[in-house]
């Protein structure tokens, strides 16, 4: 069952390195504005987007598999039908990253697979208002 408890959400939001899958280079889009907010709050945001080279002055990676080092949270801004493949990429990594599916994004089967593999998952919830409510 996806994480909904405020104490556990606070703990997750206390993590630092966030790979944003589907990060957008276009100001005004949620997939740009939410990661920008996270950077402003001190998070180490790693953009993942195969169609951009640089976002927020940071190197962009083509896929989650290409991101070097450990990732604490995989923040997903892709359509629900792409979640299964992203979860597979997250599970193939050596880190134990939380999988965070942004508002409107859900895939119950992929969530169940991730949880069975020992991963925590947040589903259909935006990081920015959650952060503002619990930590700001």
């Amino acid at each position: 069952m996806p994480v909904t408890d405020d104490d556990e959400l606070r703990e997750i939001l206390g993590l630092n390195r966030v790979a944003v899958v589907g990060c957008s280079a276009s100001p005004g889009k949620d997939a740009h504005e939410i990661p920008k907010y996270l950077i402003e709050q001190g998070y180490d945001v790693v953009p993942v987007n195969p169609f951009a080279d640089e976002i927020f002055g940071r190197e962009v990676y083509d896929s989650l598999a290409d991101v070097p080092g450990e990732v604490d949270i995989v923040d997903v801004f892709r359509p629900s039908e792409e979640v299964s493949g992203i979860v597979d990429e997250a599970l193939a990594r050596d880190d134990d990253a939380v999988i965070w599916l942004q508002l409107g994004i859900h895939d119950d089967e992929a969530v169940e697979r991730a949880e069975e593999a020992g991963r925590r998952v947040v589903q259909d919830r935006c990081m920015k208002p959650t952060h503002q409510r619990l930590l700001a």
Side-chain angles (χ1 to χ4, degrees):
M1 172 166 272
V3 175
T4 58
D5 176 72
D6 281 353
D7 289 337
E8 193 167 358
L9 287 168
R10 259 188 218 92
E11 179 188 331
I12 291 168
L13 290 168
L15 300 171
N16 183 261
R17 191 156 194 248
V18 182
V20 180
V21 179
C23 190
S24 176
S26 302
K29 288 188 167 187
D30 287 344
H32 180 88
E33 298 303 323
I34 306 309
K36 180 181 172 189
Y37 170 84
L38 294 174
I39 290 168
E40 291 166 354
Q41 300 309 306
Y43 289 91
D44 178 14
V45 170
V46 180
V48 178
N49 180 331
F51 304 108
D53 295 322
E54 184 179 292
I55 302 175
F56 312 119
R58 296 164 186 243
E59 183 176 357
V60 179
Y61 296 91
D62 288 345
S63 71
L64 188 57
D66 294 330
V67 175
E70 280 198 29
V71 170
D72 298 319
I73 301 171
V74 175
D75 187 15
V76 180
F77 278 96
R78 297 299 304 147
S80 295
E81 56 269 14
E82 294 182 27
V83 168
S84 182
I86 295 165
V87 165
D88 289 343
E89 280 190 71
L91 295 178
R93 295 181 58 87
D94 287 335
D95 49 41
D96 197 25
V98 173
I99 299 166
W100 189 301
L101 306 179
Q102 283 289 335
L103 195 62
I105 302 171
H106 39 75
D107 180 332
D108 292 337
E109 288 180 20
V111 167
E112 185 176 328
R113 200 167 66 251
E115 290 173 336
E116 286 174 358
R119 300 295 181 96
R120 293 186 290 177
V121 180
V122 179
Q123 181 172 238
D124 194 22
R125 185 180 298 257
C126 183
M127 283 185 80
K128 180 179 178 180
T130 304
H131 180 273
Q132 290 173 325
R133 183 173 65 85
L134 297 174
L135 296 180

